[in-house]
Amino acid sequence: MQAGGRILFITMEARASQNAGRVMDGPTNPMVTPLLTDLYQFTMAYAYWKAGKHNERAVFDLYFRKNPFGGEFTVFAGLEECIKLIANFKLTEEEVYFIHKSLPGSCEEGFLNYLREIDCSDVEVYAISEGTVVFPKVPLLRLEGPVAVVQLLETPVLNLVNFASLVTTNAARHRLVAGQSKMLFEFGLRRAQGPDGAIGASKYCYIGGFDATSNVAAGRLFGIPLRGTHSHAFVSSFMSPDEILERSLCSSDGSSTCEDFVTLVHSWLSKIQWLKSLGGIFGETNQSELAAFISYALAFPNNFLALVDTYDVIRSGVPNFCAVALALSDLGYRAVGIRLDSGDLAYLSSEARKIFHTIEKELGVPGFGKMIITASNDLNEETLDAIRKQGHEVDCFGIGTYLVTCYAQAALGCVFKLVEINNQPRIKLSEDVSKVSIPCKKRCYRLYGKEGYSLVDIMTGENEPCPKVGERILCRHPFSESQRAYVVPKRVEELLKCYWPGKSGKVREELPALKDIRDHCIKQLEQMRPDHIRRLNPTPYKVSVSAKLYDFIHFLWLNEAPVGELQ
């Protein structure tokens, strides 16, 4: 639903009220309903129903074929929203009526009655934990249930996983380039692909390793830390310090009051202007900028961070900031730092840091040299890498457009393929081997080596024995006869867990908190061999099948492929 051109996201309390009696809250975005699907899902559902096949038990795998951004890893995300959709999957009378109007006129009333009754109580969902590093061909989700119902889930589930995994991977790649010691802020709201893209990007960038967002709505919905200061407009809106009418500022402990904070700032500006160690690098600074900084400091004395590039970073912005920060220090406050939004970020950050250290040393202000320097300005993976190689003094990076829009790659390309129906394995063939599906219900494992890094993922048939620690296992490439290797794992991790058991009575994995998903993602990346996740020329990670599953794939392939006839 929309109001004033903006999507309205239902509050947690409202969702809980609307979904009384349901297993869990509905999807974050109220537009995620059973109608968020392609028309052909409903036409197929009708054809299944008409043929009496709608309740046949089917198994579908959701996976992708190629890692994004030219890399060799992906981070899986979107699971929580998928489970919320499935838990609340129920067509309203209005939705059934709309489907009736949208389908061909031959649609029978009995099918509409069927639609009124369906839910996901007979569906089972097995998935890899959200935030896990994943690879091509390995199922991220396995959905089992009546074929018509699971078919209706295909499009919304793909929609919820594709962008979520893509933007989480993009965020993780930025984190790897920036390094763990730097703070990363997501500033992409104004450039995102509409409100949905913005809210989703904030959530999934946080999972991928970002520390905070500027998006207030996302902060409220998901509890993500918020960050933000002021823009160039705030700075240029001031003309001179004479505009500042309320000039007093109480000290941080409340014991005294400075009646004229503006004069105190000017006195500090005069002192640093003539410091010999600064070599006269600035003279008269821009006074309207100074007025803006003073006003912002009076409003937020405990959180003063100034945007210093409106006029000139080194000759005006930094000295003006320093004067205000020193005046705040006199009253017991500690300024946060500066933000750079243009120019040579590596050079400017280094020069600003020199000035901060000089002031700490010359004026005896402890900790002044450690002022936080934040950089923004259309940053991306490449610029972060270039800045790092040049050497810089940036503590925090604010990244927007290239991050949230996934500018380097438009889509991940997850697919949803039938792998079994009525306990009969199914395979999708293609002249392009990369598009051949891996049939039957499978179990998936990650095998770890002696150094603690994961070595290979292996898929087995559902009834095959689990790989054992210390036991020699033959791992085979699904389609290449010569690519095979023995592995003796030091640790074995089963990847697919039951996140929605339906009415099967199986134990269900609980959905973790967002912070726990983020921590899991960070830990996952630490467990990957560095050459698999490096930015340039990464080593492909090995995805394999057991010897038994390999033989079965190729038996089924030969059995299903048409036999040509030469004349």
Side-chain angles (χ1 to χ4, degrees):
M1 55 185 171
Q2 296 188 357
R6 295 180 299 166
I7 302 287
L8 297 181
F9 287 90
I10 300 176
T11 64
M12 297 296 282
E13 295 81 9
R15 287 203 305 274
S17 173
Q18 288 187 3
N19 297 318
R22 291 181 175 178
V23 177
M24 63 179 68
D25 291 338
T28 301
N29 187 340
M31 291 194 302
V32 179
T33 72
L35 293 194
L36 187 71
T37 193
D38 295 306
L39 179 62
Y40 83 166
Q41 307 293 9
F42 281 105
T43 60
M44 282 192 290
Y46 179 67
Y48 284 135
W49 178 85
K50 184 73 173 173
K53 287 176 59 69
H54 55 291
N55 285 324
E56 292 185 3
R57 194 78 180 173
V59 180
F60 286 81
D61 284 348
L62 185 152
Y63 60 94
F64 61 95
R65 297 181 176 122
K66 187 178 181 181
N67 288 302
F69 308 114
E72 290 296 342
F73 76 94
T74 302
V75 180
F76 171 46
L79 174 62
E80 179 182 16
E81 296 297 331
C82 289
I83 300 301
K84 286 182 174 182
L85 164 72
I86 289 164
N88 294 276
F89 192 91
K90 190 70 177 173
L91 286 155
T92 66
E93 189 60 40
E94 292 79 9
E95 289 169 336
V96 172
Y97 176 69
F98 181 78
I99 294 164
H100 186 200
K101 288 197 307 179
S102 303
L103 290 176
S106 58
C107 177
E108 299 176 21
E109 183 66 28
F111 177 66
L112 303 180
N113 291 330
Y114 164 73
L115 291 180
R116 291 183 179 99
E117 297 299 321
I118 62 172
D119 57 24
C120 290
S121 61
D122 201 24
V123 173
E124 296 174 37
V125 180
Y126 298 81
I128 295 176
S129 300
E130 191 161 7
T132 299
V133 175
V134 291
F135 304 96
K137 290 291 186 182
V138 178
L140 309 180
L141 292 100
R142 185 179 81 219
L143 277 70
E144 307 175 22
V147 63
V149 176
V150 180
Q151 197 81 70
L152 290 173
L153 293 171
E154 174 182 5
T155 303
V157 167
L158 284 169
N159 178 270
L160 292 169
V161 169
N162 263 312
F163 177 71
S165 300
L166 187 70
V167 76
T168 304
T169 305
N170 201 22
R173 290 177 64 88
H174 281 75
R175 165 54 73 194
L176 290 170
V177 173
Q180 294 300 321
S181 64
K182 304 301 178 184
M183 296 284 283
L184 293 180
F185 303 146
E186 177 267 308
F187 285 171
L189 174 57
R190 63 187 58 199
R191 304 283 174 77
Q193 317 291 30
D196 308 327
I199 292 290
S202 296
K203 177 180 181 180
Y204 296 116
C205 285
Y206 183 66
I207 289 176
F210 273 60
D211 298 287
T213 180
S214 66
N215 187 337
V216 178
R220 179 172 180 266
L221 280 168
F222 308 120
I224 303 171
L226 292 171
R227 291 291 185 276
T229 53
H230 62 79
S231 70
H232 296 103
F234 181 82
V235 176
S236 57
S237 71
F238 287 82
M239 299 299 290
S240 78
D242 295 337
E243 296 177 61
I244 304 172
L245 301 179
E246 178 53 59
R247 297 182 169 219
S248 65
L249 180 62
C250 184
S251 64
S252 64
D253 60 6
S255 62
S256 62
T257 299
C258 173
E259 296 298 337
D260 193 346
F261 186 70
V262 177
T263 299
L264 179 60
V265 170
H266 275 289
S267 67
W268 275 112
L269 185 61
S270 179
K271 288 178 185 177
I272 62 176
Q273 190 172 14
W274 301 109
L275 281 177
K276 290 183 179 179
S277 51
L278 291 180
I281 60 174
F282 67 94
E284 185 67 26
T285 63
N286 185 290
Q287 291 300 292
S288 62
E289 178 183 63
L290 183 62
F293 289 178
I294 293 171
S295 294
Y296 200 79
L298 288 168
F300 300 102
N302 285 304
N303 296 281
F304 176 56
L305 191 150
L307 178 59
V308 296
D309 71 330
T310 306
Y311 301 109
D312 188 290
V313 172
I314 301 302
R315 289 184 292 183
S316 182
V318 170
N320 278 340
F321 162 79
C322 291
V324 177
L326 288 165
L328 286 172
S329 181
D330 279 351
L331 300 178
Y333 299 101
R334 177 174 170 79
V336 175
I338 63 172
R339 177 162 74 95
L340 303 168
D341 193 49
S342 62
D344 187 332
L345 299 177
Y347 168 76
L348 291 173
S349 66
S350 298
E351 292 301 302
R353 182 71 69 201
K354 289 177 186 176
I355 294 172
F356 295 159
H357 280 306
T358 297
I359 288 175
E360 177 175 358
K361 181 179 179 182
E362 295 290 321
L363 301 178
V365 185
F368 203 91
K370 295 180 180 179
M371 286 287 176
I372 290 175
I373 299 175
T374 300
S376 46
N377 185 33
D378 276 346
L379 299 176
N380 58 30
E381 214 180 310
E382 287 75 20
T383 53
L384 285 182
D385 193 39
I387 291 169
R388 179 180 59 82
K389 289 175 179 175
Q390 289 176 54
H392 66 89
E393 288 293 332
V394 177
D395 302 292
C396 312
F397 291 99
I399 309 174
T401 306
Y402 291 92
L403 174 69
V404 302
T405 64
C406 295
Y407 190 90
Q409 180 164 328
L412 176 57
C414 287
V415 295
F416 195 79
K417 297 299 179 186
L418 178 71
V419 296
E420 186 175 292
I421 189 161
N422 293 333
N423 297 314
Q424 297 300 309
R426 307 309 296 149
I427 189 171
K428 187 259 183 190
L429 299 180
S430 172
E431 292 182 7
D432 182 351
V433 174
S434 69
K435 290 190 174 184
V436 175
S437 64
I438 298 178
C440 75
K441 192 187 297 187
K442 297 173 287 294
R443 299 179 74 175
C444 306
Y445 304 92
R446 184 157 293 171
L447 310 182
Y448 292 83
K450 59 184 178 181
E451 294 180 347
Y453 295 128
S454 56
L455 294 175
V456 62
D457 286 4
I458 185 170
M459 292 174 273
T460 72
E462 185 192 25
N463 297 319
E464 288 189 59
C466 171
K468 294 181 175 60
V469 171
E471 185 178 274
R472 196 165 177 245
I473 302 161
L474 178 61
C475 299
R476 302 204 62 171
H477 187 284
F479 307 118
S480 176
E481 186 175 14
S482 62
Q483 293 185 43
R484 52 189 178 169
Y486 283 107
V487 176
V488 180
K490 298 298 180 185
R491 181 161 75 89
V492 176
E493 176 188 6
E494 184 158 11
L495 295 176
L496 291 172
K497 303 170 185 175
C498 182
Y499 278 91
W500 181 256
K503 60 186 181 185
S504 69
K506 295 176 182 176
V507 177
R508 170 179 149 192
E509 289 285 327
E510 292 298 321
L511 292 170
L514 190 65
K515 178 67 165 58
D516 295 333
I517 299 173
R518 181 180 185 272
D519 292 343
H520 175 66
C521 175
I522 292 169
K523 185 177 179 181
Q524 279 277 299
L525 291 167
E526 291 172 351
Q527 291 177 341
M528 296 306 302
R529 223 171 61 199
D531 59 306
H532 290 310
I533 59 175
R534 66 190 176 201
R535 183 168 170 267
L536 296 176
N537 301 315
T539 304
Y541 183 84
K542 292 178 176 61
V543 173
S544 67
V545 296
S546 65
K548 188 174 181 180
L549 182 54
Y550 174 89
D551 291 339
F552 181 73
I553 292 169
H554 290 265
F555 165 78
L556 195 62
W557 192 340
L558 291 174
N559 194 54
E560 296 286 347
V563 179
E565 182 172 329
L566 301 178
Q567 295 184 5

